[in-house]
Structure formats: structure tokens, C-alpha cells
Amino acid sequence: MGVNGVTEVTNNIATTYTSTVNSPVEDKKKDKEVEVKKEAAAVYEKSEENSSTSKVSSKETDRTKIIQQLKADDALRQQQLLDIVHKMMGKQAKTYGIANSENDEDSIWKFLAKGDFTVDAATKAQAQEDISENGYWGVKQTSERILDFAKALAGDDPEKLEKMRSAFEKGYKQAEKTWGGELPDISKQTFDAVMKGFDELTGKVET
């Protein structure tokens, strides 16, 4: 065997030895790399799960806020109708008092309307017209305005309309309390007309 042959054999032995010795080390490195990748994947998956939970929590919070806002809007609408009824009934009562200023039985309404018992002829004539059958403060127009306002707030939803009915009743009672007793007959007739209107709107009677 020549020098070249010996050198080749020596190189082959060295290569084989190096491969044999380094192989376990390289395998360990590869194993570690795999483990690191697995751990990284596990961490990523956990992060993804937390993100999903956070999204669900955020949606629940948004839903709660929406529900609270709807309830607040609903309460506001009822209060708006209550306030308008209170004012309307009071104005109707004042107008009635002025129109009937010479009637002793209606002296309470004269007092509430003017603060005294003096009503000039022109004011009285206008008041009488306003509380007539087709007058602005008559039963028909006053009840229609209240119902129109209720429909504008509640739409065609029967449940919301019932809440508007309740608000109307509370507003009427507040008007009675403000004026110190029962409201005049024209207001009682208006009350009945509005309640009948709510019955028709909610389907409790045939229209």
C-alpha cells in the first residue's frame, strides 16, 4: 500500500470516527430544537385561547351596555309622555276654568287658571272655543295629540304601547295632584278617550 493509500484509509477512519462521535450531539441539538418549537407552539396556542376569551368577554360587555342603553331610552320615552300629559291636562284644566268663569261650581278652575276671578270677555270667548268639540283643547284633539305622541315613541310594539299607557295614567294622576283634586269633566272625558285609543292600538278592542 502506498502513501496515498494509507492517507485515504486514515481519512476514511477519521471521517467515520467524527461522524460516530458527533452524531449523538447533533441529535441532541435537533431534539432540543424540536422541544423549543413545541414549547413555542404551546405558548402560542395558550395566547390564542386567551385572545378568544377576551373577545367573548368584550362582546358580553358590549351587549350589557346596549341593553342598559335600551332600558334608559325606554324609561326616557315614558318620562317624556308622562311630562307632556301632565302639562296638557293642566293646560286643558286652565282653559276650562277660564271658559266657565261665571260658574260657581268651577270656581277652583277659575282660580287655578288666572289666580283670581277676573276674566275678560275676549279671553273667555277664546277659551270656550278652545274647549269645544273640535277645539284645540277639546277632548278629540287633546286625546289625539297624546296618542300620536305615544305612537311616535312606541311605534307599533304592543308591549311598548302598554308602557306608554302606564305613563299616561301616571301623568294624569300627577296633573290631578298639581291642581289639588279631580280634574274637570273635560279632562276625565279626555282620559277615557285616550284609554280607548290605547285599547285600539294594542288590539284589545275592534277598531
Side-chain angles (χ1 to χ4, degrees):
M1 180 181 295
V3 175
N4 291 336
V6 172
T7 302
E8 183 178 349
V9 171
T10 302
N11 288 339
N12 287 338
I13 291 171
T15 301
T16 302
Y17 175 77
T18 301
S19 175
T20 303
V21 172
N22 291 340
S23 179
V25 175
E26 291 178 356
D27 288 344
K28 286 182 180 179
K29 287 183 178 179
K30 290 180 179 178
D31 290 341
K32 286 184 178 179
E33 288 177 359
V34 170
E35 288 178 3
V36 170
K37 287 181 180 179
K38 285 183 177 178
E39 289 177 1
V43 171
Y44 176 75
E45 290 175 0
K46 186 175 181 180
S47 175
E48 196 174 58
E49 181 180 347
N50 289 339
S51 177
S52 177
T53 302
S54 177
K55 286 180 181 178
V56 171
S57 178
S58 177
K59 286 181 180 179
E60 289 177 351
T61 300
D62 290 344
R63 188 180 300 112
T64 299
K65 287 181 179 179
I66 291 172
I67 291 172
Q68 290 174 343
Q69 184 61 50
L70 289 172
K71 287 181 178 179
D73 291 343
D74 191 35
L76 177 61
R77 291 188 183 98
Q78 292 180 61
Q79 186 61 45
Q80 286 175 328
L81 182 64
L82 188 155
D83 290 342
I84 198 69
V85 169
H86 184 193
K87 291 175 182 177
M88 277 190 181
M89 293 296 98
K91 184 64 176 177
Q92 187 184 55
K94 283 184 179 182
T95 307
Y96 178 86
I98 293 171
N100 294 277
S101 59
E102 293 178 358
N103 185 344
D104 290 339
E105 292 181 3
D106 295 315
S107 60
I108 181 63
W109 306 113
K110 290 184 297 180
F111 176 77
L112 292 173
K114 296 290 290 183
D116 55 43
F117 297 102
T118 303
V119 177
D120 61 81
T123 300
K124 180 176 178 180
Q126 181 62 53
Q128 288 175 333
E129 182 181 339
D130 287 342
I131 65 168
S132 65
E133 183 177 355
N134 295 311
Y136 184 81
W137 290 111
V139 174
K140 185 174 183 294
Q141 285 200 43
T142 303
S143 61
E144 285 178 349
R145 286 198 303 278
I146 292 172
L147 289 167
D148 286 344
F149 196 78
K151 286 187 289 184
L153 293 172
D156 296 325
D157 188 328
E159 184 178 347
K160 290 181 179 179
L161 284 168
E162 285 298 338
K163 290 180 180 179
M164 292 298 109
R165 183 204 295 267
S166 178
F168 164 71
E169 292 176 307
K170 289 178 182 178
Y172 188 89
K173 288 178 181 178
Q174 280 192 9
E176 285 187 318
K177 185 177 180 180
T178 298
W179 300 112
E182 290 186 356
L183 292 170
D185 286 341
I186 190 172
S187 298
K188 293 176 183 178
Q189 292 171 25
T190 301
F191 178 90
D192 291 339
V194 172
M195 294 298 281
K196 181 180 178 182
F198 274 119
D199 286 342
E200 293 173 350
L201 290 172
T202 56
K204 290 189 174 181
V205 297
E206 292 294 332
T207 57

